[in-house]
Amino acid sequence: MSEKRIEISQLGEFGLIDRINRQFTLKNESSLKGIGDDAAVIQASGDECMLVSTDMLVEGIHFDLSYVPIQHLGYKAVAVNVSDIAAMNGKAEQITVSIALSNRFSVEAVDALYQGIKTACENYNVDLVGGDTTSSAAGLVISITVLGRAPKSKIVYRKGAQVNDIICVTGDLGAAFMGLQVLEREKQVFMADPGMQPSLEKYEYMVGRQLKPEARTDIVFDLEEAGVKPTSMIDVSDGLVSELFHLSRHSEVGIRIYEDKVPIDHMTFETAVEFKLDPITCALNGGEDYELLFTIRQEDQEKIKKHPDIHMIGYVHDRKNERVMITKQGNTVPLRAQGWDHFTE
Amino acid sequence: MSEKRIEISQLGEFGLIDRINRQFTLKNESSLKGIGDDAAVIQASGDECMLVSTDMLVEGIHFDLSYVPIQHLGYKAVAVNVSDIAAMNGKAEQITVSIALSNRFSVEAVDALYQGIKTACENYNVDLVGGDTTSSAAGLVISITVLGRAPKSKIVYRKGAQVNDIICVTGDLGAAFMGLQVLEREKQVFMADPGMQPSLEKYEYMVGRQLKPEARTDIVFDLEEAGVKPTSMIDVSDGLVSELFHLSRHSEVGIRIYEDKVPIDHMTFETAVEFKLDPITCALNGGEDYELLFTIRQEDQEKIKKHPDIHMIGYVHDRKNERVMITKQGNTVPLRAQGWDHFTE
């Protein structure tokens, strides 16, 4: 390369994606939506659409097999893809799984990986329809593509949030991040003294959220049952604030959330304090929660306000550059995205 | 792992795929065909089907950037996926591209990779609709998933060849393999003396076939125009014999081909001799030709016999374990598959 070489870390992951995306335009009539949402949308015929999303997981970057059981890795790899289809208000139906692996891995390890994939396929009613297996010089790479389905009229994009819409998030936030902190700490303890057995009982909920997250396909079903179509939606993979920024940018609206409405599990809270971390920061920027973040019209509020796992955390306003949180003390502070970027970490 | 550890090399790639495949059954009505053909088939609605295929390319296993220009790698990665859709008698329309790359790669290298991907997308009328970019500890991994389309009634599988059908192959065979031999030799020469400029003019055709293969989407079009639907089809990625075995096994029929009908380009022939290789062995087992191998009914022979790029090389018979070649001397010899297996090489 010449002296003008630009490092990928200078652009970051989103910068690189933007740069790639700018070079491509969609030409086929069937390509309704390309890069830039949780999944691409392809018109199959008439109102029927297929949704496509893909994820690549690299050992040493996305997972550490020294504390991640490989069957959980298989499960998680499927769940996070199914979550992308749920975030479009669609139903996942098929996946392809490609793996590259070095000779460090035995057939038994591959069996365990696919056992996790199979369990996830069964839980989410998804069929494994294809894939590729190859060797690698070092480590494990998993690439999954998921295909989903939705009528065109039901699909929900990141764009679409309107002024005065209510911002909702499911479940609780920050637990997967705290689970990762616990696992990393136990790994250090174990490396210092391999005779030590990790004591994870107390942290079971958070560790489970990190190792075996679930896609919220139940919420897609519940919203349909309640007759609510969100105006915009995204899944929480990089952290709440990062996803709020996506909704804000795509919908060209501002965001206002309330600190005291952000759902945090009590064990997550306590563990954050134990780790000398601010619980709200963990919830806002933790990542890997795979909850659904969406906006609904004011008039739909009644229909879901009794749902035990949907939390209304704020609302949409018209000053598109104003993304703020009202603290418990009543102060207005700007939200700052600290999502994951594997190129610049 | 315990003492019972089984090495993946003991199973080989096909053994591993079979083992995985046995664990999974299709449950969604829309999953018409899963693992085991060039692409999976998903019913979109009514007669309209989507075709899905995926490939993973790993640096050091599938490509060597010391002699493969990275933009050609991008082109080839798309072309080989489009070829899988052509092998189902379908039309590719969308791809997703995921890459993992180390900090050895600059933004300019990524630009060049996507320039090749873009050129292929334009040539094949395919839209890039999604993907993932991430870092890797070492090397480049490319995972592409292609989506195609075909009416259910037009899809051609590996199964379906009938007794007395004529076996056809397009283009010529063995050139991509000889191109690889030339490139490997030049690499050795260059490593011994970096001042040496490689002289590749004479081998241009073969090197081009290796570095920048084309999917035979033109053949799918020509067959449609001629009113011929093949009874079975596959693309030649692992080598002619390996693919003949797939057609034979899936269709439960025997195969008889004629050595003097196997198409070999004259430069491929001469170069094989120069390399002290048997040209017919290169054509039978070379791999990476990405030509189409298919069977047609006897009554369709007239419709395509004047096609300059379709060669009738043999016929289908009823003794399913008999896959033979009639040599130029008139001897009958069993065909032996020597396809690629990255796990056992």
Side-chain angles (χ1 to χ4, degrees):
Chain A
M1 295 297 140
S2 78
E3 53 199 308
K4 289 190 299 181
R5 176 183 165 118
I6 305 171
E7 299 300 329
I8 292 166
S9 57
Q10 290 173 251
L11 294 182
E13 185 175 353
F14 290 123
L16 186 64
I17 292 170
D18 280 348
R19 189 182 174 98
I20 293 165
N21 199 12
R22 276 200 304 273
Q23 301 167 39
F24 288 85
T25 50
L26 302 180
K27 291 181 180 160
N28 282 303
E29 273 182 27
S30 63
S31 304
L32 299 187
K33 175 75 191 174
I35 296 169
D37 218 299
D38 289 74
V41 181
I42 293 161
Q43 188 162 26
S45 79
D47 191 44
E48 198 69 16
C49 289
M50 306 291 291
L51 303 163
V52 191
S53 184
T54 192
D55 258 306
M56 188 181 262
L57 301 173
V58 180
E59 186 177 359
I61 307 293
H62 300 93
F63 57 88
D64 182 340
L65 288 173
S66 71
Y67 57 72
V68 175
I70 196 164
Q71 64 270 37
H72 284 191
L73 177 65
Y75 190 95
K76 182 171 176 173
V78 176
V80 304
N81 274 283
V82 170
S83 179
D84 279 322
I85 300 300
M88 303 295 289
N89 207 29
K91 188 182 170 311
E93 293 192 346
Q94 285 89 19
I95 56 164
T96 64
V97 177
S98 293
I99 58 169
L101 73 179
S102 69
N103 58 15
R104 197 182 99 222
F105 293 89
S106 65
V107 170
E108 288 79 5
V110 176
D111 282 348
L113 178 69
Y114 278 89
Q115 191 54 51
I117 290 170
K118 189 184 174 188
T119 304
C121 283
E122 286 168 354
N123 279 5
Y124 297 116
N125 286 311
V126 167
D127 289 327
L128 177 79
V129 295
D132 199 3
T133 56
T134 182
S135 55
S136 79
L140 174 62
V141 179
I142 306 174
S143 176
I144 293 193
T145 299
V146 61
L147 293 174
R149 181 188 291 266
K152 195 171 170 179
S153 54
K154 298 270 185 185
I155 296 172
V156 178
Y157 295 89
R158 293 178 182 181
K159 70 180 183 206
Q162 302 290 325
V163 173
N164 295 326
D165 282 355
I166 296 165
I167 301 168
C168 303
V169 72
T170 62
D172 59 75
L173 301 171
F177 173 78
M178 284 316 304
L180 183 62
Q181 305 314 307
V182 169
L183 288 166
E184 291 276 4
R185 184 177 69 179
E186 294 306 319
K187 181 183 173 182
Q188 300 307 322
V189 170
F190 178 80
M191 282 166 67
D193 175 5
M196 277 288 287
Q197 282 298 311
S199 57
L200 296 177
E201 296 76 19
K202 188 178 153 195
Y203 309 108
E204 197 179 350
Y205 175 66
M206 289 157 280
V207 168
R209 293 274 288 172
Q210 169 60 226
L211 295 180
K212 200 160 171 284
E214 298 288 356
R216 300 305 307 256
T217 52
D218 58 325
I219 297 292
V220 173
F221 181 84
D222 291 350
L223 289 173
E224 169 88 30
E225 285 288 291
V228 175
K229 183 189 167 191
T231 53
S232 70
M233 187 151 57
I234 191 169
D235 71 333
V236 183
S237 53
D238 291 339
L240 178 66
V241 175
S242 176
E243 316 308 353
L244 283 169
F245 274 47
H246 284 303
L247 294 188
S248 163
R249 198 176 65 245
H250 285 261
S251 298
E252 301 185 340
V253 293
I255 295 287
R256 178 177 290 243
I257 65 168
Y258 295 89
E259 182 181 358
D260 63 352
K261 303 289 186 194
V262 175
I264 306 177
D265 170 77
H266 73 101
M267 278 308 302
T268 304
F269 192 98
E270 284 176 29
T271 307
V273 172
E274 179 193 329
F275 275 69
K276 298 189 170 40
L277 293 168
D278 180 15
I280 187 71
T281 303
C282 297
L284 291 176
N285 292 301
E288 297 204 277
D289 298 308
Y290 299 103
E291 296 294 343
L292 290 175
L293 173 68
F294 55 93
T295 54
I296 59 166
R297 290 182 194 84
Q298 294 265 359
E299 57 263 40
D300 284 335
Q301 186 176 3
E302 278 298 313
K303 299 178 189 166
I304 57 170
K305 75 172 186 188
K306 288 186 179 159
H307 194 294
D309 220 19
I310 296 177
H311 309 282
M312 300 179 187
I313 62 169
Y315 64 90
V316 174
H317 64 79
D318 62 356
R319 292 177 301 283
K320 65 182 182 182
N321 293 318
E322 205 177 299
R323 298 115 165 190
V324 297
M325 180 170 73
I326 314 301
T327 66
K328 289 174 184 169
Q329 293 76 30
N331 299 318
T332 301
V333 297
L335 291 168
R336 293 197 195 287
Q338 298 169 8
W340 300 93
D341 190 328
H342 297 295
F343 288 116
T344 55
E345 264 168 45
Chain B
M1 296 298 143
S2 77
E3 53 198 308
K4 289 191 299 180
R5 176 183 165 118
I6 305 172
E7 300 300 330
I8 292 166
S9 58
Q10 290 173 250
L11 293 182
E13 185 175 352
F14 289 122
L16 185 63
I17 292 170
D18 280 348
R19 188 182 175 100
I20 293 166
N21 198 13
R22 275 199 305 273
Q23 300 168 39
F24 288 85
T25 51
L26 301 180
K27 291 180 181 161
N28 282 305
E29 273 182 28
S30 63
S31 305
L32 299 186
K33 175 74 191 174
I35 296 168
D37 218 299
D38 290 74
V41 181
I42 293 161
Q43 188 162 26
S45 81
D47 192 42
E48 199 69 16
C49 288
M50 306 292 289
L51 303 164
V52 191
S53 184
T54 191
D55 257 307
M56 187 181 261
L57 301 173
V58 179
E59 186 177 1
I61 307 292
H62 300 94
F63 57 89
D64 182 339
L65 288 172
S66 70
Y67 56 73
V68 175
I70 197 164
Q71 64 270 38
H72 285 189
L73 178 66
Y75 190 95
K76 183 171 176 173
V78 177
V80 305
N81 274 282
V82 170
S83 179
D84 279 322
I85 300 300
M88 302 297 287
N89 207 30
K91 188 180 170 311
E93 292 191 347
Q94 285 88 17
I95 56 166
T96 64
V97 177
S98 294
I99 58 169
L101 73 179
S102 70
N103 58 14
R104 196 183 99 224
F105 294 88
S106 65
V107 170
E108 288 79 3
V110 176
D111 282 348
L113 177 70
Y114 277 89
Q115 191 52 54
I117 289 169
K118 188 183 176 190
T119 304
C121 283
E122 286 168 354
N123 280 5
Y124 297 117
N125 286 310
V126 167
D127 290 328
L128 178 79
V129 296
D132 199 3
T133 56
T134 181
S135 56
S136 79
L140 174 64
V141 179
I142 306 174
S143 177
I144 294 194
T145 299
V146 60
L147 294 174
R149 181 188 291 265
K152 195 170 171 180
S153 54
K154 299 270 185 184
I155 296 172
V156 178
Y157 295 90
R158 293 179 180 180
K159 71 181 182 206
Q162 302 289 323
V163 173
N164 295 326
D165 281 355
I166 296 165
I167 300 168
C168 302
V169 72
T170 61
D172 59 74
L173 300 172
F177 174 77
M178 284 316 304
L180 183 62
Q181 305 313 308
V182 169
L183 288 165
E184 291 276 6
R185 184 176 70 181
E186 295 306 319
K187 182 184 174 184
Q188 298 307 321
V189 170
F190 178 80
M191 283 168 67
D193 176 4
M196 277 289 286
Q197 281 299 311
S199 56
L200 296 177
E201 295 77 16
K202 189 177 152 194
Y203 309 109
E204 197 180 350
Y205 175 67
M206 289 158 281
V207 169
R209 293 274 288 173
Q210 169 59 225
L211 293 181
K212 200 160 172 285
E214 298 288 356
R216 299 306 306 258
T217 52
D218 58 326
I219 297 291
V220 173
F221 181 84
D222 291 350
L223 289 172
E224 169 89 29
E225 284 287 291
V228 174
K229 183 190 167 191
T231 53
S232 69
M233 187 150 60
I234 191 170
D235 72 333
V236 182
S237 53
D238 290 339
L240 178 66
V241 174
S242 176
E243 315 309 352
L244 283 168
F245 274 47
H246 284 304
L247 294 188
S248 163
R249 197 175 67 246
H250 286 261
S251 298
E252 301 187 339
V253 293
I255 295 288
R256 178 176 291 240
I257 65 168
Y258 296 88
E259 181 181 358
D260 63 351
K261 302 291 186 193
V262 175
I264 306 177
D265 168 76
H266 73 102
M267 278 308 301
T268 305
F269 192 98
E270 284 176 28
T271 308
V273 172
E274 181 194 329
F275 276 69
K276 298 190 171 44
L277 294 167
D278 180 16
I280 187 71
T281 302
C282 295
L284 291 176
N285 292 302
E288 297 205 277
D289 299 306
Y290 299 103
E291 297 293 344
L292 290 175
L293 173 68
F294 56 93
T295 54
I296 59 167
R297 289 183 196 84
Q298 291 267 358
E299 57 263 39
D300 284 335
Q301 186 175 4
E302 277 299 312
K303 298 177 189 167
I304 57 171
K305 75 173 186 187
K306 287 184 178 159
H307 194 293
D309 220 20
I310 296 177
H311 309 281
M312 300 180 186
I313 61 168
Y315 64 90
V316 174
H317 64 78
D318 63 355
R319 290 177 304 282
K320 66 182 183 183
N321 294 317
E322 205 177 299
R323 299 117 164 190
V324 296
M325 179 170 73
I326 314 300
T327 66
K328 287 174 183 166
Q329 293 77 31
N331 299 319
T332 301
V333 297
L335 291 168
R336 293 196 195 289
Q338 299 169 8
W340 300 93
D341 189 329
H342 297 294
F343 288 117
T344 56
E345 263 168 46

